[in-house]
Amino acid sequence: QVQLVESGGGLVQAGVSLRLSCVASGHTFSNYAMGWFRQGPGKERVFVAGWNGGSTSYADSVKGRFTISRDNAKNTVYLQMNSLKPEDTAVYYCAARSIGSRDIGTTTTWFRYWGQGTQVTVSS
């Protein structure tokens, strides 16, 4: 059973940085594509960033500010968030999918496994 546990969220002021972590268990971490999604109040869950086989993908709204990375030895994927804005306020979810290619999906249906989420609130 694949399990994903996010951490690192919190209440911060606009302009600061925050790093989210997602620890994975129950699978061979290196064989999985990983992603971060977020869901703001009253909004649908949307793609933020993805990583697969060294390739990365980002939503336009976070390009240049957010960076996804992973440490296979620690079974952990990170989301470094810089220059945070109030519109980044959301619950952030980690997602995973076993994949045999370098594709990075950007939809919720492409990823199979999900964490419980961690709240990020950015005040102005």
Side-chain angles (χ1 to χ4, degrees):
Q1 180 71 19
V2 175
Q3 291 187 327
L4 304 172
V5 179
E6 304 97 332
S7 63
L11 171 62
V12 297
Q13 290 189 325
V16 304
S17 299
L18 204 60
R19 188 177 78 162
L20 305 181
S21 300
C22 172
V23 178
S25 62
H27 66 289
T28 304
F29 188 65
S30 59
N31 294 339
Y32 279 66
M34 302 297 295
W36 286 97
F37 285 70
R38 67 186 181 186
Q39 187 166 15
K43 299 181 180 180
E44 63 181 20
R45 192 174 301 187
V46 296
F47 175 79
V48 174
W51 192 103
N52 187 16
S55 298
T56 57
S57 179
Y58 297 94
D60 288 342
S61 59
V62 306
K63 279 182 181 177
R65 298 190 300 123
F66 290 12
T67 302
I68 187 172
S69 63
R70 60 192 280 166
D71 185 336
N72 286 342
K74 296 182 178 180
N75 281 9
T76 302
V77 62
Y78 303 98
L79 185 67
Q80 177 67 41
M81 306 186 293
N82 299 330
S83 302
L84 282 164
K85 305 175 181 180
E87 50 264 43
D88 294 319
T89 294
V91 177
Y92 283 72
Y93 296 91
C94 177
R97 170 176 168 153
S98 175
I99 187 73
S101 69
R102 292 290 182 94
D103 295 337
I104 301 176
T106 60
T107 63
T108 56
T109 54
W110 192 85
F111 286 90
R112 180 175 179 183
Y113 302 101
W114 294 86
Q116 293 300 307
T118 184
Q119 176 71 48
V120 173
T121 303
V122 184
S123 63
S124 58

